[in-house]
Amino acid sequence: MAKTSPTWYVVWVGHSPGVYASWDKAQKQINGFPGAKYKSYTSEAAAHEAYSRGFASEIASGSAAKSSLKKKLAWGCVLPAIAVDAACNMSTGEMEYRGVDIDSGTLLFSMGPFYDSSNNLGEFLALVHALAYCKERGLSLPIYSDSRTALAWIRNKLAKTTVERTQGNAQVFALIQRAENWLKSNTYPNKCLKWDTENWGEIPADYGRK
């Protein structure tokens, strides 16, 4: 899917933090920089606003109303747990995903942007990333996703996507292959569960772009 609309990039932590009008420029600021923090936006105004708020505030805004959420979770969500989510701009195919500690709202990992992709691919990669994250740390936490498709792919250890391969999504498909291989060669105690959006509200890892 060709990129058709402008995208702006915020680099909070990198070689030279700031707002960038192209991925090539932003990528230079994060390549080889441990713990780089960055995110894409669809307008220059939104990017500058996010940069001025700072990384911590921007991530916190995606996990608002935590006290209210906890009341809802008491009716069925298992805690502690990890929530994952992905966001994909359907007009550009630009995708990113992340994982959040539900109890504290702490961002555990964030990846992207990736191109010529889909939301389901992001959700699948986020789930596998969370599983690998837990295995490396000896954690048996449940992992929640609001994507039935991605959860089915996890059970089958195969991402049955209809997204066509392009030069732009070569990195995504390399990650998908790596994720499928990881699922087939690893065991884990973590349960991958469906987030009950209707009763609990938006998943805590949600990007708030609906």
Side-chain angles (χ1 to χ4, degrees):
M1 191 177 299
K3 192 173 181 180
T4 58
S5 63
T7 303
W8 293 77
Y9 302 88
V10 174
V11 177
W12 289 282
V13 179
H15 297 294
S16 181
V19 176
Y20 295 88
S22 76
W23 172 237
D24 287 342
K25 292 180 179 179
Q27 190 175 37
K28 291 178 181 178
Q29 311 312 318
I30 61 177
N31 280 349
F33 195 101
K37 306 296 183 186
Y38 58 98
K39 188 176 176 182
S40 64
Y41 294 86
T42 56
S43 74
E44 181 179 9
H48 280 287
E49 182 180 350
Y51 181 66
S52 65
R53 283 199 301 264
F55 180 74
S57 295
E58 176 67 5
I59 296 304
S61 68
S63 301
K66 181 183 170 187
S67 60
S68 175
L69 173 63
K70 278 196 170 185
K71 292 179 182 178
K72 296 176 183 178
L73 300 187
W75 294 98
C77 179
V78 180
L79 290 175
I82 294 173
V84 300
D85 197 25
C88 186
N89 184 325
M90 298 310 294
S91 66
T92 65
E94 184 178 273
M95 177 272 288
E96 55 191 313
Y97 70 80
R98 65 186 179 186
V100 171
D101 179 277
I102 294 177
D103 198 32
S104 67
T106 301
L107 179 70
L108 302 178
F109 56 82
S110 180
M111 298 292 289
F114 303 105
Y115 295 107
D116 294 349
S117 191
S118 73
N119 194 70
N120 283 331
L121 286 177
E123 297 272 8
F124 175 75
L125 288 173
L127 281 166
V128 179
H129 194 138
L131 287 169
Y133 176 95
C134 288
K135 181 150 191 174
E136 289 174 0
R137 293 161 178 79
L139 303 174
S140 58
L141 302 176
I143 302 166
Y144 283 93
S145 168
D146 59 11
S147 171
R148 294 185 186 279
T149 298
L151 288 167
W153 290 354
I154 291 293
R155 290 192 297 271
N156 296 325
K157 306 182 192 305
L158 180 67
K160 297 182 66 175
T161 182
T162 58
V163 174
E164 296 183 1
R165 293 176 182 259
T166 69
Q167 289 185 341
N169 62 26
Q171 182 182 13
V172 171
F173 275 96
L175 289 174
I176 291 296
Q177 183 63 64
R178 180 179 175 184
E180 291 174 344
N181 291 340
W182 189 94
L183 289 171
K184 293 171 183 176
S185 60
N186 285 273
T187 58
Y188 47 86
N190 313 80
K191 293 183 178 179
C192 292
L193 305 172
K194 175 67 172 64
W195 180 262
D196 188 353
T197 304
E198 182 177 354
N199 292 309
W200 303 340
E202 293 294 345
I203 195 166
D206 183 64
Y207 283 84
R209 299 175 188 170
K210 295 181 178 65

